[in-house]
């Protein structure tokens, strides 16, 4: 658990603090996305957690221990850190890059080799092909995977990620996001993830913390933020299509109901799988020009989902 | 070429003395300027003044600089004054390139390394110096070639080396001596530069050569 308590950061010569009186808790195993426009203090907040930047006033506790009481290098060795521009060592091979922190911990060589291979495979990079390559020989997406692998090397309980997928094209970004979500489902690390992209925040975050001009303006689940924006700033930031964005947060299974005498099996023109996102289900309705879809889980028929059901689900306010 | 054949022993002595002066000057310069260059990267204000001094010294004509040290008691006529002058000249190429080389290292790489918990010491030895190696080496090569050339002026303040052949040749005048001296000094410079080039290949990490497409 990461607890920020009344944290303020004022850079030298700055009149207005970059981060002002921030109190925020990130629960163990949770992904908290720090979201907001450029310059609102997201990176500053993230970098105070691993003491890349010293706090001006306030405290940060990790699992109850004040980070001030720890040696900064030791603290950082135990926290995964991924940045947008990755910063791989250009004069070291991919394997050596991933081995950086294990080497700091003094792991024996065979253990390091095994771990590096394991991570490369986890990242979908064939160890035999990539181990001995240099960063200059890899594509942007591959480099970013290596950056994540390097941060995961000693399996740290906490990951700090500063716009980690910001520098790659949308297609690759989507795939990296999906891969990370899949891994995070098993790893359950405590993640602080910085982005200025609302869609990425909704996709990646268990919780979203929205910042404006150094202040936290809203902290909640993506659902809460889309349904009940705290003020006009948040409303504008999430966009006029925030209810459409909610369609990405639920799947067909959330809106399915059994067939009854109002809607019968004969009326559905097509079937979709229950794990399809509601947004995609709506697309299918438009495609077939229908208000009803049949819902399958594998081969089994679960029931139906209607346009009306989706509409009422989406318009529900939080705490319904 | 008759001068060369008749005075082989003298020439060998001069060559030896020339090499000695160059090696001593470069060796002391390395010990002095590399650490100072590294320290300068941690204090931009001081770095600016020090580089200013280095540039000014570099602008002083070599004969003047040699002459200045001759009047200082402990230094006087001879090798000590020559050494001090040569070491000060190398400030510009050597100190400057150590400083610039390290400053040019990608900030993101340093940021990432620090973020992983690498100590400042490790970052210096494992990242900054290897990545700055091409620039530092370029400075070292310049220093060696430049020192070889300027050392030839040192006979004016009592040192005896290959420069003596040219200086005596000019005074007599003796064209044979002037040509022989000039060719020998050039050969020494070219030889040293070639040897340095060979070492450079060994010192510069493979990953850097790949990323620069070399
Ligand atoms: N090292 C620094 N020195 C001075 N000001 C800084 C420094 N880093 C960031 N700032 C300022 O602090 C504010 C917040 O920056 P940052 O945390 O990087 O924002 P974000 O990551 O949300 O874009 C900005 O106004 C920025 O100009
Ligand atoms: Mg930022």
């Amino acid at each position: 658990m990461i607890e920020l308590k009344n944290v303020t950061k004022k850079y030298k010569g700055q009149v207005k603090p970059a981060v002002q009186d921030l109190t925020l808790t990130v629960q163990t195993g949770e992904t908290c996305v720090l979201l907001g426009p450029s310059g609102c203090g997201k990176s500053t907040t993230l970098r105070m957690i691993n003491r890349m930047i010293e706090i001006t006033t306030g405290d940060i506790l990790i699992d109850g221990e004040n980070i001030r009481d720890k040696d900064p290098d030791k603290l950082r060795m135990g926290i995964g850190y991924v940045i947008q521009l990755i910063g791989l060592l250009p004069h070291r091979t991919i394997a050596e890059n991933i081995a950086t922190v294990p080497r700091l911990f003094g792991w024996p060589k065979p253990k390091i080799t095994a771990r590096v291979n394991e991570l490369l495979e986890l990242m979908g990079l064939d160890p035999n092909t990539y181990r001995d390559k240099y960063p200059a020989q890899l594509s942007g997406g591959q480099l970013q995977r290596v950056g994540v692998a390097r941060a995961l090397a000693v399996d740290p309980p906490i990951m700090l990620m500063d716009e980690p997928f910001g520098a790659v094209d949308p297609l690759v970004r989507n795939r990296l996001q999906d891969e990370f979500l899949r891994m995070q489902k098993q790893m359950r690390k405590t993640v602080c993830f910085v982005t200025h992209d609302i869609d990425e925040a909704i996709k990646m975050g268990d919780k979203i913390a929205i910042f404006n001009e150094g202040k936290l303006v809203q902290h909640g689940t993506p659902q809460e933020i889309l349904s009940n924006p705290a003020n006009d700033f948040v409303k504008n930031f999430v966009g006029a299509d925030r209810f459409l964005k909610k369609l990405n947060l639920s799947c067909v299974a959330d809106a399915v109901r059994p067939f009854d005498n109002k809607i019968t099996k004969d009326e559905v023109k097509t079937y979709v799988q229950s794990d399809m996102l509601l947004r995609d289900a709506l697309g299918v309705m438009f495609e077939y020009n229908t208000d009803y879809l049949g819902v399958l889980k594998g081969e089994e028929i679960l029931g139906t989902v209607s346009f009306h059901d989706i509409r009422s689900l989406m318009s529900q306010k939080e705490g319904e | 070429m008759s001068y060369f054949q008749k005075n082989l022993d003298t020439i060998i002595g001069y060559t030896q003395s020339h090499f000695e002066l160059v090696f001593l000057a470069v060796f002391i310069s390395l010990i002095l300027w590399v650490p100072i260059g590294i320290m300068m990267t941690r204090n931009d204000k001081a770095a600016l003044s020090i580089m200013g001094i280095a540039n000014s010294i570099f602008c002083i004509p070599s004969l003047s600089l040699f002459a200045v040290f001759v009047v200082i008691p402990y230094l006087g006529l001879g090798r000590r004054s020559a050494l001090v002058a040569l070491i000060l000249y190398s400030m510009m190429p050597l100190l400057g390139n150590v400083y610039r080389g390290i400053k040019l290292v990608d900030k993101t790489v340093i940021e990432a390394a620090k973020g992983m918990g690498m100590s400042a010491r490790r970052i210096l030895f494992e990242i900054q110096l290897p990545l700055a190696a091409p620039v530092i080496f370029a400075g070292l090569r310049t220093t060696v070639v430049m020192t070889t050339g300027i050392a030839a002026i040192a006979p004016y303040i009592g040192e005896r080396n290959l420069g003596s052949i040219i200086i005596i040749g000019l005074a007599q005048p003796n064209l044979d001596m002037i040509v022989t001296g000039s060719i020998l000094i050039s050969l020494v410079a070219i030889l040293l530069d070639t040897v340095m080039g060979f070492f450079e290949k060994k010192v510069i990490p493979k990953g850097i050569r790949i990323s620069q497409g070399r």
Side-chain angles (χ1 to χ4, degrees):
Chain A
M1 187 167 69
I2 307 171
E3 295 164 274
L4 294 93
K5 294 184 171 171
N6 307 102
V7 172
T8 294
K9 174 67 196 182
K10 207 163 167 179
Y11 289 106
K12 245 203 218 139
Q14 220 173 21
V15 187
K16 230 174 92 211
V19 174
Q20 198 172 350
D21 197 25
L22 169 64
T23 299
L24 176 72
T25 300
V26 183
Q27 298 294 344
T28 304
E30 167 183 290
T31 300
C32 178
V33 174
L34 310 180
L35 176 68
S38 170
C40 68
K42 309 178 296 284
S43 297
T44 302
T45 303
L46 196 76
R47 288 152 55 84
M48 283 191 286
I49 298 174
N50 64 357
R51 290 190 65 178
M52 294 292 281
I53 294 174
E54 291 298 333
I55 308 168
T56 309
T57 59
D59 290 292
I60 298 181
L61 311 184
I62 293 181
D63 294 330
E65 286 182 66
N66 198 320
I67 59 167
R68 272 181 220 272
D69 302 336
K70 297 193 180 173
D71 173 67
D73 287 335
K74 291 259 164 57
L75 173 77
R76 293 180 199 131
M77 279 162 69
I79 298 179
Y81 186 48
V82 187
I83 52 180
Q84 179 175 0
L85 296 171
I86 321 168
L88 294 181
L89 309 180
H91 59 307
R92 296 270 176 87
T93 62
I94 298 307
E96 286 166 347
N97 265 286
I98 296 175
T100 306
V101 185
R103 248 174 14 103
L104 295 179
F105 276 102
W107 284 16
K109 256 207 174 122
K111 186 177 170 189
I112 293 182
T113 309
R115 179 64 177 157
V116 168
N117 289 345
E118 182 187 339
L119 283 162
L120 281 171
E121 283 187 8
L122 184 70
M123 292 293 145
L125 298 168
D126 174 35
N128 292 325
T129 314
Y130 292 102
R131 272 193 70 92
D132 300 324
K133 285 228 156 64
Y134 285 91
Q137 299 169 309
L138 267 60
S139 73
Q142 290 170 333
L143 289 174
Q144 204 50 271
R145 286 193 182 92
V146 176
V148 174
R150 182 174 66 169
L152 287 171
V154 294
D155 204 11
I158 295 176
M159 295 279 282
L160 305 179
M161 309 177 83
D162 196 341
E163 313 214 14
F165 310 136
V168 292
D169 64 74
L171 212 73
V172 176
R173 183 181 318 147
N174 233 313
R175 209 160 58 221
L176 291 174
Q177 288 168 343
D178 290 337
E179 283 169 14
F180 189 75
L181 282 175
R182 182 172 45 77
M183 285 190 294
Q184 170 63 353
K185 220 174 222 166
Q186 284 159 20
M187 302 184 303
R188 286 275 130 216
K189 295 198 180 295
T190 309
V191 181
C192 291
F193 189 110
V194 166
T195 181
H196 60 260
D197 175 358
I198 171 78
D199 293 312
E200 181 167 62
I202 293 169
K203 182 169 177 181
M204 305 305 287
D206 298 317
K207 290 278 185 66
I208 297 178
I210 300 197
F211 288 72
N212 185 27
E213 300 188 340
K215 288 189 210 135
L216 179 66
V217 285
Q218 189 168 10
H219 180 216
T221 62
Q223 279 281 2
E224 283 163 357
I225 292 201
L226 291 172
S227 308
N228 300 319
N231 57 21
D232 285 347
F233 169 80
V234 178
K235 210 182 243 174
N236 283 329
F237 195 79
V238 299
D241 60 342
R242 60 195 164 93
F243 285 94
L244 285 181
K245 287 186 170 118
K246 281 174 73 178
L247 291 168
N248 283 333
L249 291 170
S250 310
C251 57
V252 171
D254 300 322
V256 68
R257 62 154 119 174
F259 286 108
D260 53 24
N261 46 15
K262 261 168 66 192
I263 309 165
T264 63
K265 276 184 201 176
D266 301 332
E267 280 181 72
V268 304
K269 295 187 185 165
T270 186
Y271 282 83
V272 296
Q273 286 294 328
S274 62
D275 60 357
M276 181 183 261
L277 290 177
L278 284 184
R279 192 186 68 150
D280 298 334
L282 267 189
V284 175
M285 286 181 185
F286 293 151
E287 183 185 346
Y288 284 85
N289 191 17
T290 174
D291 283 345
Y292 307 101
L293 296 175
V295 179
L296 295 174
K297 185 169 187 179
E299 304 279 280
E300 180 198 352
I301 297 177
L302 290 186
T304 180
V305 60
S306 72
F307 185 76
H308 181 264
D309 291 340
I310 295 178
R311 206 176 61 194
S312 47
L313 190 71
M314 283 307 112
S315 58
Q316 272 167 20
K317 294 279 181 192
E318 213 41 47
E320 69 264 58
Chain B
M1 284 289 104
S2 60
Y3 172 81
F4 185 83
Q5 282 150 4
K6 281 184 221 147
N7 299 278
L8 204 56
D9 282 350
T10 319
I11 289 175
I12 289 175
Y14 281 164
T15 310
Q16 205 178 341
S17 159
H18 208 113
F19 269 115
E20 273 171 27
L21 182 60
V22 171
F23 275 125
L24 264 176
V26 172
F27 184 70
I28 298 174
S29 295
L30 277 173
I31 295 179
L32 206 59
W33 301 139
V34 173
I36 295 182
I38 292 169
M39 283 190 277
M40 271 162 57
T41 59
R42 286 161 198 187
N43 186 339
D44 287 329
K45 251 202 200 139
L48 216 66
S49 349
I50 295 174
M51 279 319 295
I53 297 173
N55 285 326
S56 309
I57 293 176
F58 201 69
C59 292
I60 303 174
S62 22
L63 202 52
S64 322
L65 194 62
F66 279 134
V68 167
F69 293 114
V70 172
V71 299
I72 296 174
Y74 177 75
L75 300 172
L77 275 171
R79 179 160 287 184
R80 285 198 197 120
S81 289
L83 260 181
V84 174
L86 290 173
I87 291 164
L88 286 177
Y89 272 123
S90 63
M91 223 177 151
M92 221 286 274
L94 199 54
L95 186 74
N97 278 36
V98 170
Y99 175 72
R100 266 190 302 279
I102 293 178
K103 277 285 176 183
L104 278 176
V105 172
D106 187 352
K107 294 266 183 319
T108 335
V109 174
I110 309 291
E111 151 103 10
K114 192 176 164 198
M116 286 186 291
M118 278 179 101
S119 62
R121 207 187 137 76
R122 264 183 189 270
I123 291 179
L124 175 66
F125 284 104
E126 295 185 19
I127 302 175
Q128 289 173 311
L129 286 178
L131 290 182
V135 180
I136 295 177
F137 228 88
L140 181 59
R141 277 173 91 159
T142 309
T143 303
V144 169
V145 172
M146 181 194 78
T147 305
T148 307
I150 299 180
I153 316 278
Y156 279 115
I157 57 164
E159 173 76 4
R160 288 153 68 79
N161 62 29
L162 290 173
S164 309
I165 305 175
I166 301 180
I167 290 166
I168 297 167
L170 282 169
Q172 289 192 346
N174 178 337
L175 189 64
D176 200 13
M177 282 180 82
I178 298 174
V179 172
T180 307
S182 306
I183 290 177
L184 284 173
I185 292 171
S186 307
L187 282 179
V188 170
I190 293 169
L191 174 79
L192 287 176
D193 192 52
T194 311
V195 172
M196 302 285 297
F198 177 76
F199 274 116
E200 185 170 355
K201 284 217 178 66
K202 309 234 135 169
V203 170
I204 294 179
K206 190 178 166 209
I208 299 185
R209 275 177 289 154
I210 287 175
S211 58
Q212 294 178 344
R214 285 203 251 163

